[in-house]
Amino acid sequence: MGALQSSPGRPEYSDLAEKTGFSFEQIGVLHKRFKQLSHNEETLRRDNFNEIDDLAFNPIRAQIIEAFFDRRNFHQNGEGKVQEIGFEEFVVVMSHFRPPSAHMTEEQRGKTRREKLRFLFNMHDTDNDGTITLEEYRHVVEELLSRSGTLEKETAKCIADAAMLEVASISVGHMEPDEFYEGITFEHFLKLLDGFEIESRMTIRFLNMDTTTLCK
Amino acid sequence: MPSGTVSHGASGRLRGLFLVMVLVFLEGSVFTVAVASSDQHSPTTAHSGGHKATDHGSHNNTGKAFPVLDLNYENVRVPFEISLWVLLASLMKLGFHLVPHLSNIVPESCLLIVVGLLVGGIIRGTGETVPPVMDSKLFFYILLPPIILDAGYFLPIRPFMENLGTILIFAVVGTLWNAFFVGGLLYGVCQIGTETSSILSRIGLLQCLLFGSIISAVDPVAVLAVFEEIHINELLHILVFGESLLNDAVTVVLYHLFEEFSGIGSVTLLKGFLGVISFFVVALGGVLVGVLYGILAAFTSRFTSHTRVIEPLFVFLYSYMAYLSAEIFHLSGIMALIACGAVMRPYVEANISHKSHTTIKYFLKMWSSVSETLIFIFLGVATVAGPHDWNWTFVTVTVILCLVARVIGVVGLTFIINKFRIVKLTTKDQFIIAYGGLRGAIAFSLGFLLKKEHFPEREIFLTAIITVIFFTVFVQGMTIKPLVELLAVKKKQEAKRSINEEIHTQFLDHLLTGIEDICGHYGHHHWKDKLNRFNKKYVKKCLIAGERSKEPQLIAFYHKMEMKQAIQLVESGGGIKMPSAVPSTVSMQNIQPRPPTKPAPERAIPQLSKNKEEEIRKILRTNLQRTRQRLRSYNRHTLVADPYEDGLSDLFLKKQKMFQIEKKLKEMNTYLTVPAPPPDSPTMCRARLASGKHTDFKPDQVQKGNKMCSDPQAYSIKPASNKVPMIQVDLASPQSPDSVNLLDEFGQANQQEEEEQGLMMKPPSRPREAKKPSEEDEAKDPQKLMRCLSDPGPSADEDEDGAFLP
C-alpha cells in the first residue's frame, strides 16, 4: 500500500476511482497492464489487443475488442467508434465487470444490472440503431460457433431464429401474421435476461496485487 | 367442471387411501406371521397355514399320501422377506401422498421413521425379536450407493464447480471443527461428570473424539430428503448438499483414525501426521478411482450402438464397481461414486440412445427412492430393536453441542469465506446452511459398526446418535419449510432453460475469459476455458462416438430442446395446441425480414373495393393463422414419424427442407396460397359463403381462361398439383418423408416463379410433367388447395387445366 501511494498520477487515480468504483490498488494494477499492452505509449490501438496471444482462441474476440473502442461504453453518451483509447476509457470499460459491492440498495443493484446489460446489448447491436435485428443476432450465434469446427450455417441460423422467436414471444406476445418484429430493443433485452442474475455473473475478480508479470 | 373433478379427486384419493390401508394391514399381518413362522418351523405349531402344517407332519409320519398342497416357507424366506420390506416401503410412500395435506406439513422422512417405529413396535408386540435390519453391510453396500449415484449422476456441475471452494471449506474444515469441538467438550463434560455417571467418566478422550466424528457429519440422505421438498434456491441447495457429499472423506479418515487409536491406546505425533496424509489419500484416491471408472464407462458406451438394450447396465455396473473398489482400499466410496457419475455423464449421454437415457434416469430415481424409504423405515425399526442405554446428561449435552458447534462453525467459516467470494453469503443464507445440517443414517450405521470390546459404551453412543438423528430430522426437518417461508429465502427458479439464456451463458463465458486475458491475470474463467478446450480437442474424440464428438455445446443444447418439443408435440396430439413455453401467436413469419415489396402497378389484377379486400384478407388471415400455427409447429418439430428414433441428422435434414419451403411460401406474398381447411370446417363454409358474395373472384379467373374456377362454390377436392403448396400434416404417416420430398420439389418449382413477381403460379415446366402422376398419387390426402383462394396474378401461360385433371 505504501509503495503504490507514492506512484505518480495519484490525483488522476482518485478521479477514476470515484468514477468507476475501483480501488487505488486495482487502478494501479490496471495501469501497469495498460502500459504493458500499449508498450508504454499513451493510447491503445486495436493491434495492441490483437497481440494478446490468449485471445487467439476466443471465438468472439473481434467483438470483445470492438467493445473497447465503442463510444457507447464510455459513459459519455457518445456514439460510434474510435481508433484509439486512453487509460481512462480502458478503465471505464473494465468497470463494467466489477463485482457488485456487498451492500447495495435495490436501486443500485438495478442500475448495475442495466449497465451491464447495456454493455452486452451494445456488443450485439453493431450498427448502433438501438435494436438487435435478426441479422445481427445471427451473426452473434455464428461467431459463437465459429471455433467449433463444423459450422453448418443452417444450424446457426436455426438457432438464431428460434432465439429471436422466443424473444418476440416473450416481449410482444401477440402478433398478427403480417406484422413484423423489428428487432430486440433494449427493453426487450432487459426482459429477456430478467432471471439471469447478470450482476453477479458478469464479473471478474480484479486483484489488488500485481500478477501481470506472471502472464503474457 | 373444476368442482366436479376436485370432489372426484378427493373421493378417489380417499378410496385409494382406504385400499392402501387394507393392503398394508394384510401385508403387515402376513409379515409378522412370516417372521413368527421363521422362528418356529417345527411341524407342531405355526399359526400360518394352520392345519396344513399338521397335515404335513402327519404325512411325514405316514409317508404315503402325496402332498397336494404343501407349505415350505424356509426356501423362500429371505427373498420373501426382502420383497415384503420393499413392498411395505413403497406402499407407505404411496399412502403418504394419498392422505391430503399430510405431505405438506410433515416431511416424508419423518413419516417413514414413524412407520418404522410402528412396524418395530408391532413386531416386538407380537413377542418376536426384531430382526436386526440395520446391518451395516446392508446399509453401506446396498442401500446407500443408489442414493449417492443418483445424486452424483444428476449433480449440477456448473454451480458445484463455481462454489467448490466454499463447499470444500465447509466440508473439510467445518466437519473437523464439529468433530473436535463436540468430542472435546463432551469429554470435558464427562470428566466433570455428575455423581450418577461414573459410567461417563470412563469414556476416554479418544472415544469421545470418535463419537464426535461420527455425529458431526452432515448426512446426504437426510439433506436430500428434506431439501427436496422445500425448493430453495440453487446456491444454498448445492452448498449444503455438496458439503454433505464431500464430508464423507473426512468422516472416513477420522473414523478409522480414532478407531485405530482407541484400539492401540496411544497417540503419537507421527500417527497424527499420517492421519493428515491419509486424509488426502482417501479423498483424492476416491476421486481418482471414480474418474477412472467414469472414463471406462464413457469409453464403453462409445461402442454400444448395436446393443442399446444393455446401455443402462453399464452405467450402473461401472459406478457400483467404482464404489466397491474404493471401499476395498478404505478410500472414500462416496466420493468415488460422485466422481464416476459426474465424469461419465456428458460423454455417456452423447453416446446412448434416448430410451436408454430415460431408463437410466428412471431406474436411478426409483432405486434411490426405495433406498431412502427403506433407510428411514429401518431407522425406525432399529430404534425399537437396538439395545439402548439412556443417559440424560450425555444425550442432552450431545444434542446441544451439535447445534452450537454447527452454528459457530458456519458463522465463523462464512466470515472467512466471504472475503473470497464474489457473491457473498448473507445472514439468511448462513442460517439456512446451519439449520440444514441434518444427521442421518450414516451416523447410525457407523455407530453400529463399533465393536463392543473396544467400546463398552457403545449403547450410550447409539442412543445418543439416534436421539440426535431424531431431533434433526423431526424438529429441524419439519420446521425448515415454514422458516424458509418466514424468512423469505429465495426459492428455486422454475423457469425453463431457454435458448437465449444458453446463448448468453456461452457468450458470457467467452466474454469473461477474454476480459481476463486482457486484464492479464489467469483467473477462474481462464482455467475453465483451457479445460474446455482440452476436453474438446482430445477427450471428446476418444469418448464420444462418431460425429457427435464435434458438436459444440450450443448445438447440442438446441438439439435437445428440439427433441423435447417434438416429443411434447406428439404427446399433445399434433398441431392443435402450440407446445411453446409462452403462448403467443408470434410465428416465424413475423421475424423474417420482409422481401422488398413489389410495386403495385405491375400486378394486373383489378382493384377490389377496399372493404371487400378487407373481408378477403380477414378470411385468409384466419385460415392463414391456423396454418401458420400448424406450419410453425411442424417447422420446429418435423414431420418425421418417430421422434424417438435415433438419427438426428435425418431430423435436421427434413427440417431444413421445411424451412426452405416456408421461406418460399412467405415470399409468395400476403394473400397467400393456403392449404384449404378440411371440407366441413366452419371456415370453409364461411369462405364458401364469402366467395358466393364476392363474385369478383370470377373475373380474375375468367380473365385467364381458367375453367377451374368457373364454379367457386365447388370447393371440390381436386388433386391439384405441384403448383400448389401442399402441406401434408400427417405426423405419424409413413408417407411423410415422401410428402416432404413432394414439397421440396414444389419448392424448387417455385424458384422459377420467383423470378417474376413471386405471386404467380406458373405451371411447372414440361420436363416435370412426367413426375406429375406420381406426385398426384402421393397427394391423395384431401387437403388440396382451392385455386380460387389464391391470388393468381398475371400468368402468361394459359395451360393450367391440364394440371388439374385428376
Side-chain angles (χ1 to χ4, degrees):
Chain A
M1 185 103 160
L4 277 171
Q5 281 196 345
S6 56
S7 59
R10 247 211 83 203
E12 198 182 289
Y13 282 16
S14 58
D15 204 23
L16 278 176
E18 245 323 299
K19 201 165 159 199
T20 58
F22 282 124
S23 71
F24 288 142
E25 295 88 8
Q26 290 169 334
I27 297 187
V29 171
L30 284 174
H31 202 161
K32 265 194 124 165
R33 180 63 177 170
F34 182 84
K35 289 218 194 76
Q36 195 181 30
L37 286 176
S38 68
H39 307 298
N40 277 324
E41 289 177 27
E42 284 301 314
T43 57
L44 273 180
R45 277 185 210 79
R46 286 189 176 81
D47 323 328
N48 299 119
F49 281 105
N50 285 332
E51 285 167 359
I52 306 177
D53 294 338
D54 294 321
L55 270 189
F57 295 113
N58 205 315
I60 55 170
R61 175 173 172 227
Q63 286 153 321
I64 298 179
I65 297 178
E66 275 311 306
F68 273 90
F69 293 91
D70 189 342
R71 276 224 197 92
R72 288 176 294 174
N73 292 333
F74 295 161
H75 290 184
Q76 287 161 357
N77 294 329
E79 281 199 0
K81 309 270 186 213
V82 292
Q83 287 308 315
E84 46 185 36
I85 55 171
F87 180 56
E88 188 176 325
E89 285 91 21
F90 184 72
V91 177
V92 169
V93 171
M94 283 299 189
S95 74
H96 285 102
F97 295 94
R98 224 166 43 83
S101 40
H103 312 283
M104 285 178 101
T105 63
E106 266 313 304
E107 192 190 310
Q108 280 176 322
R109 205 174 280 279
K111 186 161 159 286
T112 325
R113 272 194 80 233
R114 283 184 81 93
E115 230 176 66
K116 295 190 196 244
L117 283 174
R118 186 85 223 178
F119 186 84
L120 277 186
F121 188 82
N122 290 342
M123 279 186 85
H124 295 324
D125 181 22
T126 43
D127 61 359
N128 260 340
D129 63 354
T131 56
I132 305 178
T133 62
L134 185 61
E135 278 311 312
E136 286 168 345
Y137 212 38
R138 275 192 192 149
H139 184 66
V140 170
V141 177
E142 271 166 25
E143 286 293 305
L144 264 183
L145 296 175
S146 61
R147 290 263 165 191
S148 14
T150 56
L151 172 63
E152 301 148 6
K153 262 202 155 232
E154 203 53 49
T155 320
K157 252 178 21 144
C158 292
I159 296 179
D161 289 349
M164 199 72 168
L165 190 58
E166 204 180 70
V167 180
S169 308
I170 293 179
S171 332
V172 180
H174 178 81
M175 287 182 82
E176 298 296 319
D178 53 355
E179 277 181 65
F180 176 57
Y181 182 63
E182 292 297 332
I184 312 179
T185 62
F186 186 52
E187 291 308 320
H188 292 172
F189 196 66
L190 281 178
K191 201 165 162 195
L192 181 70
L193 291 180
D194 199 22
F196 208 55
E197 289 211 6
I198 194 110
E199 58 267 21
S200 36
R201 286 176 84 156
M202 186 166 147
T203 57
I204 66 170
R205 213 182 286 280
F206 286 100
L207 301 179
N208 291 338
M209 263 178 24
D210 183 15
T211 56
T212 54
T213 45
L214 300 173
C215 348
K216 290 181 282 247
Chain B
M1 189 168 87
S3 59
T5 46
V6 160
S7 64
H8 176 74
S11 69
R13 284 167 105 199
L14 284 177
R15 211 177 304 142
L17 180 61
F18 178 66
L19 275 173
V20 168
M21 297 308 295
V22 167
L23 270 173
V24 169
F25 176 68
L26 279 176
E27 186 217 305
S29 55
V30 173
F31 184 70
T32 42
V33 153
V35 168
S37 72
S38 69
D39 291 340
Q40 315 162 11
H41 52 79
S42 63
T44 47
T45 60
H47 33 191
S48 70
H51 49 284
K52 294 294 176 222
T54 48
D55 275 352
H56 183 76
S58 64
H59 285 163
N60 269 344
N61 294 337
T62 60
K64 280 206 205 113
F66 185 78
V68 175
L69 192 63
D70 202 4
L71 179 79
N72 190 342
Y73 182 64
E74 264 316 296
N75 283 353
V76 206
R77 187 168 81 88
V78 172
F80 195 77
E81 284 184 356
I82 296 175
S83 309
L84 267 182
W85 277 116
V86 178
L87 191 61
L88 176 73
S90 316
L91 284 174
M92 282 298 106
K93 229 175 149 67
L94 206 68
F96 291 151
H97 290 285
L98 286 177
V99 175
H101 303 305
L102 189 61
S103 39
N104 289 341
I105 308 175
V106 189
E108 227 174 70
S109 37
C110 305
L111 292 171
L112 290 168
I113 295 186
V114 168
V115 167
L117 287 172
L118 280 175
V119 172
I122 294 177
I123 295 182
R124 182 167 261 186
T126 60
E128 306 305 330
T129 52
V130 182
V133 279
M134 204 56 164
D135 180 29
S136 291
K137 264 220 191 88
L138 173 74
F139 177 74
F140 279 115
Y141 297 138
I142 311 276
L143 291 178
L144 190 60
I147 302 180
I148 305 294
L149 179 61
D150 180 39
Y153 195 77
F154 293 109
L155 192 69
I157 295 285
R158 228 194 143 81
F160 187 75
M161 284 299 163
E162 282 175 8
N163 294 300
L164 191 61
T166 317
I167 294 177
L168 276 175
I169 291 189
F170 274 129
V172 176
V173 181
T175 312
L176 281 174
W177 157 259
N178 273 353
F180 282 101
F181 186 77
V182 171
L185 279 187
L186 210 52
Y187 180 65
V189 166
C190 289
Q191 288 311 92
I192 297 174
T194 62
E195 331 70 58
T196 58
S197 46
S198 55
I199 327 160
L200 287 187
S201 50
R202 269 193 284 121
I203 306 178
L205 176 62
L206 282 172
Q207 280 87 341
C208 277
L209 285 176
L210 179 59
F211 178 73
S213 67
I214 295 178
I215 200 77
S216 61
V218 177
D219 187 80
V221 181
V223 164
L224 259 180
V226 168
F227 270 49
E228 213 166 68
E229 301 180 6
I230 61 179
H231 300 301
I232 51 170
N233 63 52
E234 201 177 47
L235 173 67
L236 285 177
H237 187 204
I238 199 72
L239 281 179
V240 182
F241 185 58
E243 181 197 339
S244 69
L245 289 175
L246 293 186
N247 66 17
D248 180 62
V250 181
T251 314
V252 165
V253 169
L254 284 178
Y255 183 79
H256 286 299
L257 208 64
F258 290 132
E259 205 186 18
E260 237 349 83
F261 289 169
S262 318
I264 299 178
S266 67
V267 187
T268 63
L269 197 58
L270 178 65
K271 292 234 180 72
F273 185 62
L274 283 178
V276 172
I277 304 259
S278 85
F279 165 69
F280 287 105
V281 169
V282 162
L284 295 175
V287 171
L288 198 66
V289 169
V291 168
L292 240 114
Y293 274 97
I295 294 182
L296 273 176
F299 191 65
T300 313
S301 73
R302 187 180 164 183
F303 303 106
T304 56
S305 48
H306 298 290
T307 42
R308 293 270 181 212
V309 188
I310 54 173
E311 272 170 346
L313 197 59
F314 282 119
V315 171
F316 300 140
L317 282 177
Y318 275 112
S319 315
Y320 195 46
M321 294 281 287
Y323 181 75
L324 295 175
S325 310
E327 288 288 327
I328 296 178
F329 300 103
H330 277 303
L331 303 173
S332 167
I334 291 185
M335 291 186 82
L337 209 46
I338 303 279
C340 184
V343 163
M344 85 167 120
R345 185 175 176 208
Y347 307 110
V348 161
E349 292 213 335
N351 282 332
I352 61 178
S353 71
H354 183 79
K355 284 184 190 156
S356 297
H357 172 77
T358 313
T359 309
I360 292 179
K361 185 161 96 160
Y362 275 97
F363 259 93
L364 280 178
K365 296 284 175 207
M366 181 185 80
W367 271 331
S368 67
S369 175
V370 168
S371 269
E372 195 181 291
T373 318
L374 275 177
I375 287 178
F376 283 115
I377 293 186
F378 284 174
L379 255 182
V381 173
T383 312
V384 173
H388 285 303
D389 190 353
W390 182 269
N391 187 311
W392 276 102
T393 333
F394 194 78
V395 172
T396 43
V397 169
T398 309
V399 174
I400 296 175
L401 278 181
C402 277
L403 284 174
V404 169
R406 177 89 184 149
V407 171
I408 298 180
V410 169
V411 171
L413 284 175
T414 316
F415 181 71
I416 302 175
I417 290 173
N418 267 344
K419 295 203 197 297
F420 298 101
R421 279 182 67 91
I422 295 184
V423 179
K424 318 276 182 203
L425 294 173
T426 64
T427 326
K428 257 194 253 175
D429 294 337
Q430 291 172 37
F431 176 73
I432 296 289
I433 295 176
Y435 208 67
L438 306 172
R439 305 331 194 247
I442 292 187
F444 182 77
S445 306
L446 283 175
F448 211 76
L449 270 177
L450 292 173
K451 293 199 249 307
K452 188 81 182 180
E453 317 84 64
H454 296 301
F455 300 92
E457 51 281 325
R458 182 170 169 265
E459 274 98 41
I460 306 182
F461 285 178
L462 278 179
T463 316
I465 292 176
I466 288 193
T467 317
V468 173
I469 295 178
F470 270 44
F471 182 80
T472 54
V473 171
F474 278 92
V475 174
Q476 285 177 238
M478 272 204 271
T479 53
I480 199 169
K481 195 161 184 185
L483 273 174
V484 162
E485 304 278 334
L486 193 68
L487 291 176
V489 178
K490 229 174 3 159
K491 290 264 184 114
K492 181 157 72 168
Q493 284 180 320
E494 287 303 333
K496 281 204 292 199
R497 207 70 193 290
S498 72
I499 186 95
N500 273 300
E501 289 194 359
E502 182 69 25
I503 292 178
H504 279 99
T505 310
Q506 298 250 320
F507 192 81
L508 262 186
D509 272 346
H510 290 299
L511 175 63
L512 292 174
T513 312
I515 298 284
E516 269 188 5
D517 291 333
I518 294 178
C519 248
H521 84 265
Y522 284 169
H524 191 60
H525 290 96
H526 180 94
W527 294 116
K528 198 157 69 156
D529 190 58
K530 265 218 165 97
L531 185 66
N532 276 338
R533 269 188 281 132
F534 174 73
N535 187 15
K536 203 184 300 185
K537 203 161 165 203
Y538 299 112
V539 184
K540 274 194 181 167
K541 287 225 177 72
C542 298
L543 298 180
I544 300 185
E547 272 312 300
R548 300 293 294 274
S549 62
K550 297 208 204 77
E551 204 176 47
Q553 197 189 345
L554 189 58
I555 295 189
F557 177 82
Y558 179 61
H559 285 187
K560 238 192 272 189
M561 207 184 70
E562 293 269 298
M563 185 73 113
K564 230 187 288 184
Q565 282 181 322
I567 293 173
Q568 250 185 342
L569 175 66
V570 172
E571 282 178 0
S572 78
I576 325 281
K577 279 193 321 176
M578 274 194 289
S580 63
V582 180
S584 73
T585 56
V586 181
S587 67
M588 289 305 279
Q589 185 216 356
N590 294 112
I591 61 174
Q592 296 294 348
R594 263 202 204 110
T597 49
K598 321 288 185 224
E602 285 191 36
R603 301 201 306 203
I605 32 168
Q607 293 298 319
L608 301 170
S609 61
K610 245 332 179 152
N611 50 350
K612 279 187 188 144
E613 234 187 73
E614 260 317 301
E615 278 188 57
I616 297 172
R617 279 228 185 128
K618 215 178 353 169
I619 296 166
L620 290 174
R621 191 173 296 156
T622 31
N623 284 351
L624 183 61
Q625 217 159 358
R626 214 176 288 146
T627 310
R628 280 284 164 265
Q629 290 176 3
R630 289 217 301 257
L631 258 187
R632 174 176 167 267
S633 334
Y634 298 127
N635 255 344
R636 299 190 60 64
H637 313 307
T638 93
L639 299 173
V640 172
D642 187 6
Y644 292 90
E645 252 172 83
D646 297 318
L648 279 160
S649 51
D650 286 348
L651 218 104
F652 278 93
L653 212 53
K654 292 189 173 71
K655 206 148 54 73
Q656 283 171 24
K657 283 186 185 163
M658 273 314 297
F659 264 126
Q660 284 171 18
I661 291 150
E662 238 220 10
K663 211 178 9 183
K664 303 297 176 280
L665 272 178
K666 279 170 226 143
E667 274 140 4
M668 289 210 297
N669 195 356
T670 45
Y671 291 126
L672 295 209
T673 48
V674 299
D680 290 321
S681 77
T683 336
M684 206 58 188
C685 298
R686 249 185 288 136
R688 208 172 287 151
L689 283 174
S691 82
K693 282 190 232 150
H694 300 288
T695 50
D696 292 335
F697 273 98
K698 251 202 225 150
D700 302 342
Q701 312 308 325
V702 164
Q703 266 188 353
K704 285 175 236 76
N706 189 347
K707 288 193 222 139
M708 243 320 274
C709 281
S710 57
D711 181 20
Q713 299 284 5
Y715 280 68
S716 49
I717 308 305
K718 303 228 177 348
S721 67
N722 33 15
K723 286 192 192 120
V724 147
M726 282 177 289
I727 314 293
Q728 303 288 351
V729 297
D730 205 357
L731 264 192
S733 135
Q735 276 187 359
S736 14
D738 302 332
S739 33
V740 179
N741 285 334
L742 167 68
L743 297 170
D744 196 11
E745 284 188 281
F746 173 63
Q748 286 171 14
N750 268 344
Q751 253 169 351
Q752 304 161 7
E753 298 169 7
E754 275 168 353
E755 294 151 22
E756 311 201 21
Q757 293 162 16
L759 293 182
M760 4 164 222
M761 312 289 259
K762 263 177 73 169
S765 46
R766 283 297 141 188
R768 290 188 169 272
E769 295 238 63
K771 295 195 195 140
K772 266 192 276 169
S774 54
E775 286 161 4
E776 279 159 18
D777 283 344
E778 289 172 352
K780 282 202 187 66
D781 204 311
Q783 298 265 6
K784 308 301 187 290
L785 183 65
M786 188 51 210
R787 182 112 175 115
C788 294
L789 279 180
S790 67
D791 181 2
S795 150
D797 199 333
E798 303 296 87
D799 243 29
E800 296 161 326
D801 292 354
F804 287 98
L805 291 177

